[in-house]
Amino acid sequence: ENTPLEVSVTTYHSYAARLLSEHSIRFGIDADISPMGDAAMWQLANDVVRNWDDATYTNESAINTVVDDLLGLTKLMLEHQVKPDAIEAADLAVLQELATMTGDENDQVRRVKRVLTQRIGLLPMVASFIERRQQSGQLSFDDQMSLAADIAVNFADVGELERAKYSVVLLDEYQDTSQSQVRLLSALFGNGHPVTAVGDPCQSIYTWRGASAGTIGSFGEYFPKAKGSTGSEIYELLTTFRNDVAILNLANVISSQVRSLGNLNVSELTPRIGAGKGDLAVGLFETMEAEAAAIAEYFAPLWNNPSRLQPHLKVPRTFAVLVRKRAQIALIQEALAKAGIPSEVLGLGGLVHVPEIADLVATLKIINNPS
């Protein structure tokens, strides 16, 4: 008996790996080996760069920089499903346009020319890098997704087998799907099979690996409804149970540009019944030390008099500070300690700021770099 299939942003690669392990023989590839880790990928890329014998390729950057560029370009090409000839054509078009410009070149124009020229030179290296991995069966997660998508597109019977296994398909966190993932899933289930996608374009956080907030808006193109089917295609879940009114109003203002992208037309979120007014404070500080001190000053009266915050609730006093940089953590902890507010850093990164761990890290750095 067939069953539902639920795939989320955290399981797309595992699903692709399973599909590839079953059908990689169609491409003459042994895909049973575990995916390569970052260290192994870097070592192979380093080997490709150091032993590249094409005398026409020139790059003024350090070898490590070229290795990083090779890894980055390869990853983006696989995630976006872009072929080398398409990149070369686009870069050559820009270079040709720059060549027609009159007047003295500025540093920015020269930099663009250098970057485009070096990227074109990297393309044969990318092809060699991918070929070596596929021949050896040492695939990365990006390789697995790209190859699985190729299999789904080129072999119709694979889709027939998958559709026979799963009566309905639920795609969670759909706003974070990359082009390779959409290509794979639409080739398998995009022929009118029952598919539901759940996601929020305003929470798209994987744009760096090929995801796009507009993916939800184009869902109907990749997963058209079966002929003759009726009913609503879009259901909006607009009530947020997390935010008070002031915070939600600001969030709606910030997200307005994303919500109006292309054919999205996503409505504003609405507060839950009984939501509080909320307290919104904004500060602009010259230094991180000043910002940390302001955070402690904001928390202090609420910590010392919790009834001001939630007079009707008997709950422990808890607050959270979200940071964008780890460099802020130690300063905020220090400011909170001065205000008499105990704090705990969640995650492994917090251990680095514990004095004993900091001393250990410093000792290890000296041992590894005695000079």
Side-chain angles (χ1 to χ4, degrees):
E1 181 180 355
N2 52 11
T3 58
L5 170 66
E6 180 178 355
V7 187
S8 67
V9 68
T10 57
T11 58
Y12 283 129
H13 281 94
S14 61
Y15 176 66
R18 194 268 295 167
L19 195 73
L20 187 60
S21 67
E22 295 177 0
H23 301 283
S24 61
I25 190 63
R26 297 168 185 259
F27 283 164
I29 298 173
D30 180 9
D32 289 334
I33 303 174
S34 298
M36 297 177 68
D38 291 340
M41 285 281 291
W42 191 93
Q43 288 178 337
L44 181 57
N46 182 64
D47 183 66
V48 171
V49 172
R50 289 184 179 275
N51 294 288
W52 192 250
D53 58 359
D54 187 350
T56 63
Y57 176 72
T58 58
N59 195 317
E60 299 175 359
S61 302
I63 289 181
N64 285 356
T65 301
V66 179
V67 171
D68 291 339
D69 290 343
L70 174 59
L71 288 168
L73 182 57
T74 303
K75 180 179 181 64
L76 289 174
M77 288 174 60
L78 291 172
E79 285 287 359
H80 289 274
Q81 288 292 295
V82 180
K83 301 301 181 183
D85 55 349
I87 294 179
E88 183 174 4
D91 287 349
L92 287 175
V94 176
L95 288 172
Q96 185 176 1
E97 187 68 24
L98 291 176
T100 63
M101 297 175 63
T102 58
D104 296 334
E105 291 184 352
N106 56 33
D107 291 340
Q108 187 173 4
V109 172
R110 284 192 291 269
R111 181 178 181 276
V112 170
K113 286 185 175 181
R114 183 174 66 254
V115 169
L116 296 182
T117 302
Q118 291 179 353
R119 183 160 61 194
I120 292 173
L122 267 179
L123 292 174
M125 207 177 293
V126 171
S128 175
F129 185 41
I130 294 175
E131 183 181 3
R132 284 185 60 175
R133 297 207 306 269
Q134 293 184 358
Q135 287 180 347
S136 64
Q138 295 178 303
L139 305 178
S140 68
F141 287 106
D142 301 313
D143 289 322
Q144 288 183 335
M145 183 60 67
S146 180
L147 287 170
D150 288 340
I151 288 175
V153 170
N154 292 304
F155 300 97
D157 61 309
V158 175
E160 294 176 3
L161 292 171
E162 292 301 297
R163 290 189 294 274
K165 292 179 183 177
Y166 306 111
S167 55
V168 294
V169 177
L170 172 62
L171 306 178
D172 196 12
E173 302 290 354
Y174 189 71
Q175 78 279 354
D176 285 324
T177 50
S178 68
Q179 183 60 35
S180 288
Q181 292 166 349
V182 172
R183 184 166 168 260
L184 165 67
L185 296 166
S186 63
L188 296 176
F189 306 108
N191 61 341
H193 196 73
V195 179
T196 298
V198 181
D200 181 358
C202 297
Q203 296 187 43
S204 181
I205 60 175
Y206 288 96
T207 54
W208 51 272
R209 72 171 192 187
S212 171
T215 304
I216 292 181
S218 61
F219 175 79
E221 300 175 18
Y222 291 100
F223 300 93
K225 293 197 301 182
K227 293 182 179 180
S229 62
T230 59
S232 177
E233 295 183 356
I234 300 176
Y235 298 91
E236 291 187 309
L237 304 175
L238 301 177
T239 303
T240 173
F241 295 86
R242 179 179 299 174
N243 306 116
D244 285 339
V245 176
I247 306 300
L248 188 58
N249 288 341
L250 177 61
N252 282 327
V253 171
I254 294 174
S255 65
S256 60
Q257 186 174 1
V258 175
R259 289 186 284 106
S260 61
L261 284 176
N263 56 350
L264 287 177
N265 295 321
V266 180
S267 304
E268 289 188 355
L269 294 175
T270 58
R272 67 192 183 280
I273 297 176
K277 293 182 179 180
D279 183 17
L280 181 63
V282 180
L284 180 63
F285 307 95
E286 293 184 357
T287 65
M288 290 193 297
E289 289 82 359
E291 183 180 27
I295 292 173
E297 290 173 3
Y298 178 83
F299 280 150
L302 300 174
W303 177 264
N304 296 323
N305 185 13
S307 61
R308 292 179 52 185
L309 183 65
Q310 295 174 312
H312 60 292
L313 296 178
K314 301 296 183 180
V315 296
R317 294 169 293 177
T318 58
F319 303 91
V321 181
L322 307 181
V323 299
R324 293 184 62 87
K325 297 181 180 180
R326 291 183 179 180
Q328 296 174 288
I329 295 176
L331 296 173
I332 294 174
Q333 272 195 303
E334 182 180 355
L336 292 174
K338 289 181 179 179
I341 303 175
S343 62
E344 176 186 2
V345 177
L346 300 181
L348 295 176
L351 295 175
V352 177
H353 303 287
V354 176
E356 295 82 0
I357 302 298
D359 289 344
L360 179 59
V361 171
T363 302
L364 291 174
K365 286 182 178 180
I366 295 174
I367 294 174
N368 291 331
N369 300 281
S371 59

